[in-house]
Amino acid sequence: EPACRRRDRRNAHAFRCGTRLISRGDNADKVLHFCGAPVSVQTRLGERSFVDELGRTYLFPGLVEDVVIEEWTYNLGPHQFMRVVRLENGLVAEIKQLGYGY
């Protein structure tokens, strides 16, 4: 992969859809409401350390939970960077910035 493409891939704490800000912890419904449908969705199952309802993580061997991981790609056009929103069990876990859209 060319160095110029690698440099464009970085984590973003949030991104703006219209006048609304999407950030970590937001639910999938909010993202769909303000950003619309993504151009692509990739879904997979995974495991992670158990996290309780207060956000505390438990790092005990064998204590894991299943998680549905979805990566929603948003193409914001040729003058803006594309975004990948990773959702875990319906909540925004990470936002990545890619290169310019098309």
Side-chain angles (χ1 to χ4, degrees):
E1 183 175 25
C4 62
R5 292 286 281 176
R6 276 196 310 268
R7 226 177 296 123
D8 288 341
R9 292 188 180 175
R10 57 187 164 260
N11 288 338
H13 296 287
F15 84 101
R16 191 167 297 285
C17 287
T19 60
R20 300 297 183 143
L21 200 62
I22 301 300
S23 58
R24 188 174 181 178
D26 287 341
N27 66 45
D29 290 338
K30 178 181 176 182
V31 178
L32 280 174
H33 181 73
F34 293 117
C35 302
V39 293
S40 73
V41 175
Q42 295 181 357
T43 304
R44 67 183 186 277
L45 295 176
E47 290 183 343
R48 68 176 175 199
S49 299
F50 181 76
V51 179
D52 69 13
E53 63 278 351
L54 298 176
R56 295 178 295 208
T57 302
Y58 295 88
L59 300 174
F60 298 111
L63 184 58
V64 295
E65 65 179 339
D66 292 329
V67 61
V68 176
I69 300 167
E70 295 179 274
E71 291 186 337
W72 294 5
T73 302
Y74 284 92
N75 178 8
L76 305 173
H79 302 291
Q80 296 186 53
F81 292 116
M82 293 175 62
R83 299 289 199 279
V84 175
V85 178
R86 184 170 52 85
L87 296 121
E88 294 183 0
N89 290 340
L91 298 176
V92 175
E94 182 180 30
I95 300 169
K96 292 180 187 176
Q97 178 176 289
L98 304 178
Y100 284 102
Y102 49 88

